[in-house]
Amino acid sequence: MEKPGGRAIVDTNIQKYQALVEAVRCGSFTRAAHNLSYSQSGVSRMIADLERDWGLRLVERGRAGVSPTGDGRQLMPLVEAVCEDYRRLTARASELRDLDAGTISVGTFSSVATYVLPPAIRRFQQEYPGIDYELLMGDYSEIERWVAEGRVDFGFLPYAPRTPGLVCEPLLSDELRVVMPEGHPLASHAAVRLEELLDDPFILLERSGDDEVTPLFERAGLSPRVRFTTWDDYAIMSMVENGLGLAVLPSLILSRAPYRIETRPLAEPVGRKISVVFRAGSLGVAARLFIDFLRARDAV
């Protein structure tokens, strides 16, 4: 609700505190009145009301302007704190009101978009049905760039971002598993050693030069026979189904795979951390609340 002229109606005492803070800051009732869109007499009267209410003289009024008395100087930090708390309160209320509308933009890759986001969005919509969502599918380097440039509110990465100024909050762990066609000899193993993958053609999941599997072989001093490279998880599963080779993929994307394939853990288990990444200080209240939904155990 607003008065004519657009100035919001605020609590009367807060008005008086704001008038006192501004008059002392400006050293003038006239300048304080201009900054607060009050009359000069109104500012003077509000401060006089405080002095009467508290039984203290708060400011000196003279040719040199307005200055705090000794009592006024002692009280000013507390009055300023009340005004700042009120500012933060109204800002927070405004943010919550904005949850009735708006868009959350997310940079993501296929496994998160398929298995993590839908249940979280469903829950979030139950409380905030006015929010819309924009999901941008990309490779890891694209997602990091979108976050850094502000193209999306936040994104997902399976590694710590390389771009300065980005915040990284771990969300979930995702185990890497060996993928093979149904009936493959390795399907009889409870777990598979890396060296057992060297006899078959290998299909590598790679996104813009980033892959999580090659370093595993390099650390073991092994070189798989990479015959195919693609950025699409589902294309790899289809190729494995058709006997074109073996692969190592994250378990998240394999959870409801519609292909005739089998998976086994690596003999030395290897996992990856999927994190939420965003620019420091950039998250709006809707995006922050949505991330909290993602972090809830029953949301993913």
Side-chain angles (χ1 to χ4, degrees), residues 202-242:
F202 195 80
I203 308 169
L204 184 64
L205 175 66
E206 182 181 79
R207 295 179 172 92
S208 296
D210 290 316
D211 87 84
E212 300 148 323
V213 177
T214 299
L216 303 181
F217 287 101
E218 290 178 344
R219 287 194 292 270
L222 303 173
S223 298
R225 293 194 293 125
V226 178
R227 296 290 303 276
F228 307 96
T229 302
T230 179
W231 61 271
D232 187 273
D233 315 77
Y234 293 100
I236 288 180
M237 286 185 272
S238 179
M239 295 168 79
V240 170
E241 179 186 52
N242 283 279

Side-chain angles (χ1 to χ4, degrees), residues 68-210:
T69 63
D71 290 337
R73 280 191 295 272
Q74 292 189 54
L75 292 176
M76 282 306 298
L78 299 175
V79 176
E80 290 170 346
V82 170
C83 291
E84 175 60 17
D85 285 344
Y86 180 79
R87 184 198 64 78
R88 292 167 56 193
L89 171 64
T90 54
R92 180 64 170 172
S94 177
E95 288 178 341
L96 293 173
R97 185 174 61 248
D98 289 343
L99 285 175
D100 290 336
T103 300
I104 298 174
S105 296
V106 183
T108 185
F109 48 92
S110 55
S111 57
V112 172
T114 303
Y115 298 110
V116 175
L117 290 176
I121 290 174
R122 184 189 67 248
R123 287 194 58 219
F124 200 72
Q125 280 187 326
Q126 291 171 0
E127 293 197 32
Y128 307 106
I131 297 295
D132 295 326
Y133 305 84
E134 180 186 28
L135 305 185
L136 272 66
M137 302 290 293
D139 58 46
Y140 302 149
S141 61
E142 285 177 320
I143 293 169
E144 185 169 344
R145 186 178 72 253
W146 291 337
V147 174
E149 294 175 350
R151 175 64 184 84
V152 296
D153 296 311
F154 60 87
F156 297 92
L157 289 176
Y159 56 78
R162 306 178 181 99
T163 306
L166 298 187
V167 178
C168 180
E169 294 186 359
L171 179 66
L172 56 88
S173 297
D174 194 13
E175 181 190 17
L176 298 180
R177 296 179 66 88
V178 177
V179 186
M180 63 197 76
E182 285 184 347
H184 191 278
L186 291 178
S188 63
H189 296 199
V192 178
R193 302 189 311 274
L194 284 175
E195 52 266 32
E196 293 178 298
L197 303 179
L198 302 182
D199 295 333
D200 290 76
F202 195 80
I203 308 169
L204 184 64
L205 175 66
E206 182 181 79
R207 295 179 172 92
S208 296
D210 290 316

Side-chain angles (χ1 to χ4, degrees), residues 115-117 119-120 171-172 293-300:
Y115 298 110
V116 175
L117 290 176
L171 179 66
L172 56 88
F293 267 66
L294 289 172
R295 296 171 70 89
R297 181 178 296 273
D298 58 348
V300 296

Side-chain angles (χ1 to χ4, degrees), residues 229-287:
T229 302
T230 179
W231 61 271
D232 187 273
D233 315 77
Y234 293 100
I236 288 180
M237 286 185 272
S238 179
M239 295 168 79
V240 170
E241 179 186 52
N242 283 279
L244 297 178
L246 305 180
V248 174
L249 293 175
S251 59
L252 190 60
I253 198 67
L254 296 168
S255 59
R256 293 197 295 272
Y259 298 94
R260 296 188 304 276
I261 57 176
E262 297 191 51
T263 75
R264 295 293 182 274
L266 287 163
E268 296 184 10
V270 177
R272 64 175 186 170
K273 293 287 187 182
I274 297 177
S275 298
V276 179
V277 179
F278 52 89
R279 289 177 298 153
S282 70
L283 282 181
V285 64

